[in-house]
Amino acid sequence: MSTFLSEEKTVQLLRELEPVAEAELNRHLAVAKEWFPHEYVPWSQGSDFDGVLGGDAWAVEQSKIPDVARTALIVNLLTEDNLPSYHFEIAKFFGRDGAWGTWVHRWTAEEGRHGVAIRDYLTVTRAVDPVALERARMVHMGTGYEAAYDDMLHTLAYVSFQELATRISHRNTGSASGEPVCEQLLARIATDENLHMIFYRNLLAAAFEREPNMTMRAVADIVQNFQMPGHSIEGFTRKSVQIANAGIYDLRQHRDQVLVPVLRQWKVWDVTGLDEEGEKARFELDQFLAELETAASRFEQRRDERAARVAARV
Ligand SMILES: [Fe+2]
Ligand SMILES: [Fe+2]
């Protein structure tokens, strides 16, 4: 049995889910609040840079943001910057017509706001090196982003987790910045990411009712192979270790605040009538979560031990 829906079945499922997409889109439009990036940027703190305007070059002492928060902000912004590739992926799988198409464009417009807001904030406050940032953006967007699975259900499962993961990561980056305005901005963005997660999560819940076995397979694949959307950023592994050590996004949060709540919402453990393949997928899911629990506990233990050693030295 194939792990992917056939093209014919995909078209059929998208059509069946169209009324759900419409209802979710309307719910989203009713609750999403309009907001403006410029209101979160302290323009009065801005000054000219070197180069064309002959101002001061960026220097690390100008940044009021701690090292690790700076790293996280750069990762979060570069992730948002890759929007053209994400748009391509979701437009490819969800289409550009009807409620699905309206969602794809609305979602893209909302995500576009995130990159604009974070970049303006970071540039005006001189929080990060604008030259290094621009060069990193060129490299990252030059690499693009490609979904790991060429399939609509896998994409829907991926974005359900990914939106929640970015919500947690933005929110915790804001706290780590120690700057109230930065924190407010990232909390505002995190609210958007949460609403995005709800849209995708509810669509996937509807897919579970119609195609339980294939949906379970897609969910199991995504959970076992999940990578953050910014994983192709240069030096991502090193950066993600720093981010995890600072408690901005680590294995414990990934398991307990991202994977498990979404899986519970889908009631994956209550789905009945699965065939052999569906049961196998759910079994893999259980096994993986148990392994992740062990890995998360081990990570926390090592981090605590390291912190205790540092404290003992002081
Ligand atoms: Fe975003
Ligand atoms: Fe989002």
Side-chain angles (χ1 to χ4, degrees):
M1 189 181 112
S2 165
T3 37
F4 299 143
L5 281 181
S6 66
E7 218 170 296
E8 200 187 330
K9 277 255 184 175
T10 303
V11 172
Q12 193 190 330
L13 183 60
L14 279 170
R15 208 173 296 142
E16 280 177 32
L17 292 178
E18 173 83 19
V20 186
E22 191 176 346
E24 288 300 319
L25 171 69
N26 290 334
R27 188 195 48 72
H28 177 85
L29 295 175
V31 294
K33 289 198 181 71
E34 186 182 32
W35 65 276
F36 300 95
H38 72 270
E39 293 182 3
Y40 292 85
V41 181
W43 301 98
S44 61
Q45 291 179 24
S47 64
D48 294 348
F49 283 96
D50 56 335
V52 179
L53 298 178
D56 295 328
W58 184 83
V60 70
E61 311 79 63
Q62 296 162 359
S63 176
K64 294 186 203 146
I65 307 259
D67 255 9
V68 68
R70 203 153 52 226
T71 300
L73 277 159
I74 292 168
V75 167
N76 293 4
L77 175 53
L78 292 175
T79 302
E80 297 284 355
D81 279 339
N82 235 354
L83 181 58
S85 278
Y86 310 140
H87 171 84
F88 178 82
E89 290 293 333
I90 68 161
K92 183 167 76 179
F93 292 113
F94 303 151
R96 295 167 57 150
D97 306 322
W100 281 107
T102 307
W103 167 261
V104 165
H105 289 106
R106 168 76 192 206
W107 173 87
T108 304
E110 290 187 11
E111 291 292 355
R113 193 182 275 161
H114 299 170
V116 168
I118 299 175
R119 175 163 281 95
D120 283 351
Y121 177 87
L122 296 181
T123 308
V124 168
T125 60
R126 293 186 175 242
V128 305
D129 179 351
V131 174
L133 180 67
E134 179 62 4
R135 288 184 178 147
R137 187 185 68 81
M138 291 300 289
V139 172
H140 186 48
M141 290 188 75
T143 310
Y145 173 88
E146 212 179 318
Y149 295 92
D150 200 16
D151 172 60
M152 191 275 279
L153 280 174
H154 283 74
T155 301
L156 204 48
Y158 178 74
V159 288
S160 303
F161 294 117
Q162 168 269 317
E163 292 285 358
L164 188 50
T166 47
R167 174 203 183 187
I168 305 279
S169 147
H170 279 309
R171 202 185 53 196
N172 292 343
T173 299
S175 313
S177 76
E179 286 290 312
V181 177
C182 185
E183 196 168 349
Q184 277 179 56
L185 168 62
L186 293 189
R188 181 54 260 190
I189 293 173
T191 304
D192 284 359
E193 310 297 21
N194 196 49
L195 287 180
H196 298 160
M197 178 274 290
I198 293 170
F199 178 91
Y200 294 127
R201 188 195 68 194
N202 291 355
L203 260 303
L204 193 103
F208 253 121
E209 288 167 19
R210 289 158 180 86
E211 284 287 343
N213 296 299
M214 292 303 242
T215 306
M216 193 66 83
R217 169 43 61 201
V219 169
D221 285 344
I222 292 299
V223 167
Q224 291 176 92
N225 299 292
F226 186 85
Q227 280 190 304
M228 289 299 256
H231 69 89
S232 58
I233 291 170
E234 264 194 324
F236 181 76
T237 307
R238 185 174 38 83
K239 290 180 166 73
S240 60
V241 169
Q242 287 173 279
I243 288 166
N245 283 336
I248 293 172
Y249 197 86
D250 60 25
L251 281 183
R252 171 61 60 206
Q253 289 152 335
H254 182 60
R255 187 191 180 284
D256 294 357
Q257 294 178 34
V258 176
L259 298 181
V260 172
V262 174
L263 292 168
R264 276 213 188 107
Q265 276 281 340
W266 287 331
K267 299 189 172 68
V268 292
W269 292 285
D270 302 331
V271 174
T272 52
L274 290 176
D275 65 15
E276 203 181 317
E277 288 294 320
E279 287 294 355
K280 184 172 171 288
R282 181 157 57 186
F283 179 72
E284 285 173 26
L285 199 56
D286 280 339
Q287 253 189 336
F288 181 82
L289 287 176
E291 286 165 21
L292 196 58
E293 172 60 44
T294 311
S297 299
R298 209 179 295 144
F299 172 79
E300 284 177 314
Q301 197 187 337
R302 278 203 307 265
R303 189 172 57 190
D304 289 350
E305 284 167 4
R306 218 172 21 242
R309 277 201 303 276
V310 172
R313 250 183 266 146
V314 180

